[in-house]
Amino acid sequence: MDEQLKQPVTAVKGIGNEMADTLADMQIMTVGDLLEYFPYRYEDYRLKDLAEVKHEERVTVEGKVHSEPSVVYYGRKKNRLTVRLLVGRYLIIATFFNQPYLKQKINVGETITVTGKWDQHRQTITATQMSAGEHAINQDFEPVYAVKGKMTVKTIRRLIKQAFSQFGHEITEILPNELLQKYKLINRRDALRIMHFPSGSDEMKQARRRFVYEEFLLFQLKMQSLRKLEREQSPGIAISYELDNLKAFITGLPFPLTGAQKRVVNEILGDMKSPYRMNRLLQGDVGSGKTVVAAIALYAAKSAGYQGALMVPTEILAEQHSQSLTQLFEPFGITVALLSSSVKGKRRREMLEQLKLGEINVLIGTHALIQDDVDFLNLGLVITDEQHRFGVEQRRVLREKGENPDVLFMTATPIPRTLAITVFGEMDVSVIDEMPSGRKTIETYWAKHEMLERVLASWKKSSRKEDRPMLSVPSSRSLISWMSRMQSMSIAH
Ligand code: ADP
Ligand code: MG
């Protein structure tokens, strides 16, 4: 049955080869393409009170001809017909371009119906259509299609109508019944019919809703399959960490992992072990324990003989991470170094030398990490925190400092799963959706961008470093516009 819709458009009565060529220019090849060629807007023929019509809106009105129409010629072959109409309490002007012959149809005292764009300031309708007599259009909405070349809107309307009467019954559902019911979506055939031949605005909404849903769903499915493909086609390193060792490290932590942490650790380790390159987003609120998860991944990389890098957006965060990771790693003989922009001259040279020799196991820093002279011996794992503050380019540079290292992006910005699939389509997503118990209580404050200075000042006043609240500035410029408008800051005590 579907085969019917895959036929070339010439299967539709009235479409010959020439017409088929014109349609091909509009990317319409098959009967199905024609049926799915959606209008980009609708002509609204419902009569409206001019008082309720906004400037520049399209409108259909009935009016009594109040003056003899006059035609003014200008330029070559150009002319404008104007006529005064009494519409309700309004005396307005209707203008028609290049249709001088309408003069014959317009007689003083008679009623005509015109459709066009309302200019509120000039009290004028620039009309595209008119008919003698009262509003007699039996259709409230008429679809308007984008056309190309010799094609006209009228013609394509006719072709779609013909295609529908010949093949409409062949249109089949592509969404599972379950989803249709769950989301109360109308079926595909009805939806298509309504898109082309709507009779009311409610059903138009339903039809649109159905196709919006369909489009999103197909998009997501496509992204998922791309992701699968991408994973299978991105050779990486299989990091064979030492499990016993790793278990000892995890047991040695000052606290047991939460269920959510265990789950994401397993997801991450699974990726690292696989021969494919990890490309994973780790989302969890501030204080949910992402740093520990990152530490476990870094430990695993080290135990397999690889170096790790942790890139964070600010020096403050770099320092925080460096402190907590040093504490965790020191007992295990893992060397952590902080490469910030304040590391300069001889110290910097020495650090880079150690890095190249593999004497530094974990390097932490800001953009400083992606400078040209930063070379690793064998970078196996790249972690970025609050990753959307880095551009794609920066992430790529860091990634290329190793040979296909595994990559983990950490963020505290809640990203709805659906959006994550859309924005980070090619990534796998892990979520820490559970807070550690017995942790220090966390108060989160959201501060507007303008308050940044003030908040920072009070933060600096905290006497001892350890007492300072934790700052994070999850900018989401590239992500969600409402978030980017209010750059937020959360402070955890
Ligand atoms: P995030 O990076 O997600 O903001 P952190 O990793 O910095 O969170 O963890 C916040 C605090 O909670 C830290 O003090 C950390 O030591 C502590 N913590 C992390 N995981 C646990 C856990 N499973 N049980 C108790 N405390 C934890
Ligand atoms: Mg953190």
Side-chain angles (χ1 to χ4, degrees):
M1 6 160 240
D2 236 14
E3 292 305 308
Q4 293 280 329
L5 302 184
K6 287 191 186 132
Q7 296 181 84
V9 278
T10 44
V12 176
K13 268 187 215 123
I15 300 186
N17 287 337
E18 202 179 329
M19 183 76 87
D21 284 347
T22 310
L23 287 168
D25 280 345
M26 295 160 59
Q27 305 301 320
I28 302 173
M29 316 289 179
T30 64
V31 174
D33 293 342
L34 185 58
L35 292 174
E36 286 178 28
Y37 194 72
F38 291 149
Y40 66 93
R41 69 174 183 87
Y42 295 88
E43 198 72 82
D44 182 351
Y45 290 118
R46 292 173 301 175
L47 276 184
K48 285 197 192 122
D49 185 341
L50 276 178
E52 280 154 28
V53 178
K54 290 194 207 87
H55 180 57
E56 303 230 298
E57 227 172 56
R58 295 185 62 84
V59 64
T60 296
V61 295
E62 236 175 51
K64 202 172 204 181
V65 181
H66 198 261
S67 68
E68 207 49 61
S70 71
V71 180
V72 177
Y73 289 85
Y74 58 98
R76 282 199 336 127
K77 290 192 193 165
K78 286 189 179 161
N79 59 76
R80 181 176 64 230
L81 181 154
T82 45
V83 60
R84 284 169 188 282
L85 296 179
L86 193 61
V87 177
R89 316 173 265 119
Y90 292 83
L91 187 59
I92 66 158
I93 297 169
T95 55
F96 297 83
F97 287 94
N98 308 322
Q99 299 174 73
Y101 47 85
L102 291 178
K103 196 171 169 26
Q104 275 69 275
K105 290 201 204 169
I106 301 175
N107 305 306
V108 177
E110 286 180 8
T111 295
I112 64 171
T113 301
V114 301
T115 299
K117 197 180 192 180
W118 174 233
D119 183 328
Q120 198 171 33
H121 312 311
R122 299 198 167 120
Q123 299 279 292
T124 299
I125 290 178
T126 305
T128 47
Q129 300 208 25
M130 86 131 244
S131 54
E134 286 173 7
H135 187 44
I137 292 167
N138 50 13
Q139 201 183 345
D140 280 346
F141 300 97
E142 198 168 40
V144 182
Y145 301 89
V147 287
K148 249 183 164 177
K150 277 184 241 158
M151 185 58 66
T152 65
V153 176
K154 263 193 183 142
T155 306
I156 190 131
R157 271 184 200 145
R158 178 170 54 78
L159 299 182
I160 289 173
K161 198 164 188 176
Q162 178 60 38
F164 233 91
S165 70
Q166 264 178 272
F167 297 100
H169 59 281
E170 302 283 353
I171 298 168
T172 49
E173 188 51 70
I174 59 171
L175 298 178
N177 230 333
E178 207 185 302
L179 292 179
L180 292 180
Q181 276 168 8
K182 183 165 175 197
Y183 298 108
K184 301 195 167 54
L185 301 169
I186 59 176
N187 74 53
R188 198 161 205 278
R189 188 184 308 156
D190 286 347
L192 268 174
R193 185 182 43 72
I194 294 165
M195 291 300 279
H196 294 298
F197 319 107
S199 59
S201 55
D202 283 348
E203 64 168 34
M204 277 159 81
K205 264 191 213 128
Q206 290 308 315
R208 278 191 59 82
R209 194 172 149 263
R210 188 234 134 86
F211 283 113
V212 167
Y213 179 87
E214 178 182 310
E215 207 171 305
F216 266 112
L217 184 73
L218 293 181
F219 178 70
Q220 291 194 3
L221 291 174
K222 202 151 132 195
M223 284 308 231
Q224 281 178 21
S225 65
L226 274 179
R227 192 155 41 130
K228 191 154 167 280
L229 249 177
E230 144 118 6
R231 187 172 346 166
E232 281 159 14
Q233 289 176 351
S234 44
I237 26 186
I239 296 188
S240 33
Y241 52 85
E242 295 170 26
L243 189 61
D244 290 343
N245 233 326
L246 189 62
K247 275 186 178 156
F249 175 70
I250 295 175
T251 339
L253 290 171
F255 40 72
L257 295 183
T258 62
Q261 280 172 322
K262 281 185 199 153
R263 179 168 40 77
V264 302
V265 162
N266 279 331
E267 286 165 358
I268 291 165
L269 292 178
D271 279 357
M272 289 174 65
K273 204 164 44 179
S274 84
Y276 305 123
R277 182 161 60 72
M278 170 165 72
N279 195 21
R280 188 171 282 277
L281 180 75
L282 174 60
Q283 195 261 316
D285 287 349
V286 173
S288 62
K290 294 185 295 296
T291 312
V292 183
V293 173
I296 294 170
L298 288 166
Y299 184 95
K302 155 70 172 73
S303 83
Y306 288 98
Q307 288 171 300
L310 175 59
M311 184 160 78
V312 296
T314 65
E315 303 257 326
I316 295 171
L317 276 172
E319 204 172 301
Q320 274 176 5
H321 279 305
S322 155
Q323 277 174 23
S324 50
L325 289 184
T326 305
Q327 246 176 40
L328 280 174
F329 286 155
E330 234 162 24
F332 295 88
I334 298 176
T335 46
V336 177
L338 172 65
L339 182 65
S340 67
S341 53
S342 57
V343 179
K344 287 184 191 125
K346 184 155 169 264
R347 243 184 85 214
R348 186 164 193 277
R349 276 198 305 280
E350 279 172 9
M351 197 181 276
L352 294 183
E353 190 57 32
Q354 285 178 304
L355 188 68
K356 215 186 289 185
L357 293 173
E359 290 166 11
I360 291 172
N361 305 124
V362 175
L363 187 66
I364 299 168
T366 55
H367 308 86
L369 294 196
I370 58 171
Q371 279 155 21
D372 271 351
D373 56 351
V374 181
D375 289 322
F376 293 79
L377 176 68
N378 55 355
L379 181 61
L381 175 66
V382 170
I383 302 181
T384 64
D385 198 0
E386 291 298 350
Q387 57 85 22
H388 43 264
R389 299 213 34 185
F390 297 108
V392 173
E393 184 57 17
Q394 291 162 316
R395 287 185 244 149
R396 187 186 59 76
V397 172
L398 183 57
R399 199 170 65 219
E400 287 180 357
K401 288 189 179 291
E403 273 181 54
N404 295 314
D406 284 328
V407 184
L408 181 68
F409 308 95
M410 301 198 294
T411 181
T413 308
I415 301 162
R417 203 168 185 92
T418 44
L419 189 61
I421 294 171
T422 313
V423 180
F424 304 104
E426 77 293 359
M427 284 190 208
D428 294 299
V429 182
S430 288
V431 181
I432 307 187
D433 50 6
E434 181 185 351
M435 283 298 208
S437 58
R439 72 205 152 82
K440 292 181 246 173
T441 50
I442 293 190
E443 287 173 46
T444 300
Y445 299 90
W446 292 76
K448 283 208 175 133
H449 188 54
E450 297 80 46
M451 287 175 65
L452 189 66
E453 294 291 325
R454 242 206 282 171
V455 176
L456 272 181
S458 84
W459 182 80
K460 280 184 187 144
K461 264 195 236 143
S462 313
S463 48
R464 292 187 312 152
K465 247 184 190 167
E466 308 81 80
D467 293 343
R468 287 179 178 171
M470 189 160 73
L471 291 187
S472 74
V473 187
S475 142
S476 339
R477 249 177 317 172
S478 60
L479 197 59
I480 314 169
S481 61
W482 61 264
M483 277 191 170
S484 64
R485 256 181 276 127
M486 182 170 126
Q487 189 167 36
S488 62
M489 177 188 305
S490 45
I491 312 173
H493 290 286

